Amino acid sequence: MEGSYYLTTAYLGMIAGLAIWTWTVVTRSRSIELRLAAVESTIGVEAADADSLAPQSIDRANVDATD
Amino acid sequence: MRGRFAEVLLGAGFFGIMATLYLGFHWAPSVSINAFESPAAQRIFYWHVPSAWAAFIAFGVLFVGSAMWFFKRSAFGWRLHVAGTEAGLACGLMTVWSGCVWGAAEWGTPWDWTDVRLNTFGLLTLLALFLVLGRQSQPDGVETRDTFSTFGLYGFVLVPLTYMATRIWQIRHPGPVVAAGDSGGSLESSMALVLMIGALSFTLFIVGHMLISMRITQLEQRLEQVQNSLDGGI
């Protein structure tokens, strides 16, 4: 009976570990996707264009500075 | 598409892990009551060994990612490093936890400070904990990445040391039961099958996890880039 107690304790701990780890990763993934979508919609770019945004922004800033 | 693939791997791995638990409890035979102090607790082994296996894979990924960042300045390498540390920490903690509980049942003590395998594996898990917490507390930059990559590179020496520990020093931790070389494995075939299903399932599960983790790191970097460009544009 004592062995079953240890067995249950070990598996419950590992199940909790798996659940917390998976929950953390999935919620982080959803959260960052939502934040990115919100920022991109605010500045009016498509997600596919977002990677090329930084160089364009720098060019625009340079043009503004010369004006 | 890659996100969906990662979730499929995660789901398949989870299903396999639960199947391993079921088979370990209901299908695998019991061990001899003469061979163990606590025969019932031996069934901890069906998740303990696969989670240790998965931790070794994660530490391997951490090493490769650290090397790719340190020597090539590869952004992909840094994402591997981050995914490897998180998976290594999760699997390492599960292994240490289940090992401690089994040790308490079988040996009467959860930890033995004289056993090499216990201590080197414990150090590996602490290294992963340090890397995860350190990355969260430091601003991202080349110097930070170099520092953590160095720990990832040098820390990897503990992996072969941990693997070989019970082959060189038989102190407290049981010796190898599979891939035991000339001494041969002592595992009954149905037990070995459940263990293999467990190892495969944990592998699928952490690969899915690491793919999602790499995607999160990529999205975090893109978000930072977009926010920086927004600040610069204003």
Side-chain angles (χ1 to χ4, degrees), chain B residues 18-140:
Chain B
M18 289 303 151
T20 305
L21 186 62
Y22 178 81
L23 292 172
F25 273 75
H26 294 285
W27 187 66
S30 302
V31 291
S32 164
I33 55 169
N34 299 320
F36 289 88
E37 288 291 322
S38 180
Q42 179 272 339
R43 290 181 198 271
I44 291 172
F45 147 100
Y46 295 113
W47 271 20
H48 173 77
V49 177
S51 62
W53 161 256
F56 281 139
I57 293 175
F59 290 127
V61 169
L62 166 63
F63 176 75
V64 171
S66 298
M68 285 174 72
W69 168 259
F70 196 82
F71 296 112
K72 298 279 185 188
R73 288 289 184 266
S74 161
F76 177 75
W78 179 249
R79 292 199 290 274
L80 280 180
H81 169 101
V82 173
T85 52
E86 291 176 356
L89 176 61
C91 293
L93 285 175
M94 277 194 288
T95 308
V96 169
W97 166 255
S98 54
C100 284
V101 175
W102 183 77
E106 183 67 22
W107 305 329
T109 177
W111 198 264
D112 183 348
W113 292 105
T114 64
D115 189 280
V116 179
R117 169 164 284 190
L118 264 59
N119 290 296
T120 52
F121 194 88
L123 276 175
L124 266 172
T125 307
L126 283 176
L127 172 72
L129 178 66
F130 163 74
L131 291 175
V132 168
L133 294 179
R135 192 178 70 85
Q136 287 174 355
S137 65
Q138 300 294 315
D140 192 18

Side-chain angles (χ1 to χ4, degrees), chain A residues 19-42:
Chain A
I20 292 168
W21 182 32
T22 306
W23 176 258
T24 307
V25 167
V26 170
T27 51
R28 266 177 66 205
S29 175
R30 298 270 154 81
S31 163
I32 193 85
E33 280 172 10
L34 288 174
R35 281 170 58 200
L36 190 61
V39 172
E40 285 174 348
S41 68
T42 302

